[in-house]
Amino acid sequence: MVKKSKVNQPKASTSRQMGFFELLKRDIVKHRYIYIMLIPVILYFIIFHYVPMFGAQIAFKDFSISKGIMGSKWVGFKHFIDYFHSYYFVRLLKNTVILSAYNILFGFPAPIILAILINEVQNMTFKRVVQTVTYLPHFISIVIVCALLRNFFAVDGIVNQIFGSSVNFFMKEEMFRPLYVGSGIWQEIGWGSIVYLSAITGIDSTLYEAAEIDGAGRFQKILYVTLPCIAATITVMFIMRVGKMMTVGADKVLLMYNESTYATSDIISTFVYRKGLLEQNYSYSAAVDLVNSVVNCGLLVVANKLCKKISGNGLW
């Protein structure tokens, strides 16, 4: 019998034979200019985000400026225990969570609604005017926004003049949250709608045509075409927003609150500011902020898992 000649078997793919670093080396050589552009971004995160993590250890020490980080005495979880047993812990946590929840409940859907409404406008001139008017407040300084609020809602301000009252809104603790959330929506609704407008623009127009053939009206198109098509974008933005739930910016609160409104306005960020900079208790404020960061990280992971389970979309 004549032996059949051996047929050369195809070799395994090169990418499988090569290691990770060899593949990375080839990719860097191939796309070297893109990697060069990436260097400033990497350096930024290393210098301003990862290197400062070294200083987080002062939360476990009685930090003294004269002794430095390494020379300060190690006290372990002393500052964390003091914070959890302090009178302010429950109030700070409650105010921060409620303020963030209001921002998510009222502030998160606002840009989505605005983007959908702008997309439905047929008159291009009116559309551009609305976009410009809603974008502009984003570029106004928070200091100016708070100054405007204080003028409008002062005892002799325009709001009291319209309603014929003499209410000092900034001295009433129950008015702090509506003023904070309402002014935040006004300032950021236009800027936040840009992401959703971009997502809406990328929707295939044939989907709307098919829906129209099936007899769908405007509202039905929004409900069954627009919203499902931008669901992934909404999910990602929601996860990122929940990940910052415990990080309510102290700058605006500091400009709006006073001692008479501490019951509703004093949050974790303002407490850290008072303890760290005003009272110079750096270790205690670092411990509070470290707890805050850990909670934020946990919320981000939980929100991502829930969104992936419900909608199938997530950050990772």
Side-chain angles (χ1 to χ4, degrees), residues 25-43:
K25 183 179 177 182
R26 287 196 173 193
D27 193 61
I28 290 173
V29 172
K30 184 178 180 181
H31 305 102
R32 53 187 176 277
Y33 297 112
I34 295 175
Y35 281 96
I36 290 171
M37 292 171 63
L38 192 63
I39 289 173
V41 179
I42 296 172
L43 289 175

Side-chain angles (χ1 to χ4, degrees), residues 35 83 147 171 218 220 269 302:
Y35 281 96
Y83 172 55
M171 297 300 289
R218 275 197 172 188
Q220 290 173 317
S269 299
V302 171

